[in-house]
């Protein structure tokens, strides 16, 4: 193991850029302001969980990270590249970002193998053999290798979501975005998807996760961010935000969650 740099040597300290750096982000739909000046940075390997009431802007914020929604103003910088710059090669940057939605968005007419290989071949230019090898690798990673020849309709919701996660992983992303990935699942299927997400976190995947699963956020996140009315109201380590919230708005939200 190499020795740490000697601060007295005069060598400049190298500061790693965040994987995701969001600066003064605003998003409006007509007269409705959904995001009102969001500033947040996510470091490499960090897991950030976004919580808050419906309509607080969490999903819109996540969709702005890869420009599925174009910000009204502000910057989104991915690994040092400003993707809000009109000259940015957005398609190239998007290959670094995997995204998993509430709905699974699998092609119903294609078997699992084809669902996982089509983007690899068309976007990354992989050969059929390489794409299929990667598909098998990531399906095994999420515990779905035995379903490789099934159509999505023959899978449970939890299985379909795990295939959707595998499809994102097949593109070798540097970071993953999860937009309420378990909210469309029956309660008994939630655990299998959260288990895959825990595994990714333990492997050091950079993750932004919109979730209503407070126990997942408490035990897996490095940081919890509470949003309301288009603003970040409170953020910090999970136990501080979830067990000892300082803001009255956060306290009310968590009390409502407990009473459900």
């Amino acid at each position: 193991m190499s020795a740490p740099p000697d601060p007295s040597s005069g060598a400049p300290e190298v500061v790693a850029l965040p994987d995701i750096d969001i600066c003064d982000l605003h998003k409006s739909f007509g007269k409705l302001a959904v995001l009102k000046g969001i500033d947040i940075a996510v470091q490499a390997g960090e897991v950030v969980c976004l919580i808050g009431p419906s309509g607080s802007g969490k999903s819109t914020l996540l969709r702005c990270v890869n420009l599925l929604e174009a910000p009204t103003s502000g910057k989104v910088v991915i690994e040092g590249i400003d993707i809000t710059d009109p000259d940015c090669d957005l398609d190239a940057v998007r290959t670094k970002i995997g995204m998993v939605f509430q709905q699974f968005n699998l092609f119903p007419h294609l078997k699992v193998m084809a669902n996982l290989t089509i983007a690899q071949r068309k976007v990354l230019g992989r050969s059929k053999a390489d794409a299929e090898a990667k598909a098998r690798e990531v399906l095994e990673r999420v515990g779905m290798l035995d379903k490789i020849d099934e159509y999505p309709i023959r899978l449970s919701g939890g299985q379909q979501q795990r295939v959707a996660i595998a499809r994102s992983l097949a593109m070798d992303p540097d970071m993953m975005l999860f937009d309420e990935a378990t909210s469309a699942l029956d309660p008994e299927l939630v655990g299998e998807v959260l288990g895959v997400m825990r595994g990714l976190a333990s492997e050091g995947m950079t993750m932004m996760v919109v979730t209503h699963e407070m126990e997942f956020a408490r035990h897996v996140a490095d940081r919890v961010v509470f949003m309301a009315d288009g603003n970040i109201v409170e953020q910090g380590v999970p136990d501080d935000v979830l067990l000892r919230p300082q803001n009255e708005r956060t306290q009310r939200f968590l009390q409502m969650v407990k009473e459900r």
Side-chain angles (χ1 to χ4, degrees), residues 113 116-117 120-121 126-136:
M113 172 63 91
L116 264 70
T117 56
Q120 292 187 68
R121 299 186 67 186
R126 286 179 179 156
S127 67
K128 182 175 184 287
D130 286 347
E132 290 184 351
K134 172 58 76 170
R136 290 189 179 90

Side-chain angles (χ1 to χ4, degrees), residues 121-239:
R121 299 186 67 186
K122 289 183 177 293
V123 177
L124 301 182
R126 286 179 179 156
S127 67
K128 182 175 184 287
D130 286 347
E132 290 184 351
K134 172 58 76 170
R136 290 189 179 90
E137 174 193 321
V138 294
L139 285 169
E140 184 169 22
R141 193 170 168 187
V142 302
M144 291 296 294
L145 185 57
D146 61 328
K147 304 297 184 182
I148 199 166
D149 291 320
E150 297 284 5
Y151 286 99
I153 197 171
R154 295 180 59 85
L155 305 177
S156 70
Q159 290 172 332
Q160 289 187 59
Q161 193 62 293
R162 283 191 281 162
V163 170
I165 293 172
R167 181 179 56 186
S168 288
L169 293 176
M171 303 296 285
D172 291 325
D174 293 342
M175 61 201 74
M176 292 284 289
L177 311 177
F178 292 89
D179 186 9
E180 298 190 27
T182 60
S183 65
L185 301 178
D186 292 334
E188 65 268 21
L189 301 177
V190 169
E192 63 188 69
V193 175
L194 293 180
V196 171
M197 294 167 67
R198 286 190 184 94
L200 292 175
S202 69
E203 294 167 9
M205 176 68 76
T206 305
M207 295 164 58
M208 287 187 75
V209 182
V210 173
T211 185
H212 293 292
E213 301 291 338
M214 297 301 143
E215 283 302 303
F216 173 85
R218 182 183 172 197
H219 294 292
V220 178
D222 297 296
R223 182 165 31 127
V224 171
V225 176
F226 173 71
M227 292 182 64
D229 303 318
N231 294 294
I232 292 177
V233 175
E234 185 167 355
Q235 62 179 306
V237 298
D239 280 358

Side-chain angles (χ1 to χ4, degrees), residues 5-120:
D6 181 357
S8 65
S9 67
E13 182 181 355
V14 177
V15 179
L17 291 171
D19 270 5
I20 303 168
D21 197 2
I22 299 166
C23 307
D24 195 25
L25 193 71
H26 292 254
K27 176 62 181 178
S28 296
F29 295 97
K31 295 182 178 179
L32 178 64
V34 178
L35 299 175
K36 304 173 182 176
I38 301 295
D39 291 288
I40 185 171
V42 182
Q43 304 299 323
E46 187 179 17
V47 178
V48 173
C49 283
L50 306 174
I51 66 169
S54 297
S56 60
K58 308 181 302 296
S59 292
T60 299
L61 174 59
L62 212 64
R63 291 172 66 85
C64 284
V65 171
N66 62 0
L67 256 60
L68 289 177
E69 295 288 356
T72 303
S73 64
K75 286 185 177 182
V76 178
V77 181
I78 302 296
E79 296 182 344
I81 300 171
D82 179 3
I83 65 172
T84 51
D85 184 335
D87 295 328
C88 169
D89 184 349
L90 185 57
D91 289 338
V93 177
R94 278 180 172 154
T95 64
K96 303 173 183 290
I97 308 169
M99 188 159 185
V100 179
F101 302 88
Q102 296 180 36
Q103 303 301 325
F104 322 121
N105 297 324
L106 299 173
F107 294 113
H109 62 292
L110 298 179
K111 292 182 178 181
V112 167
M113 172 63 91
N115 265 282
L116 264 70
T117 56
I118 187 169
Q120 292 187 68

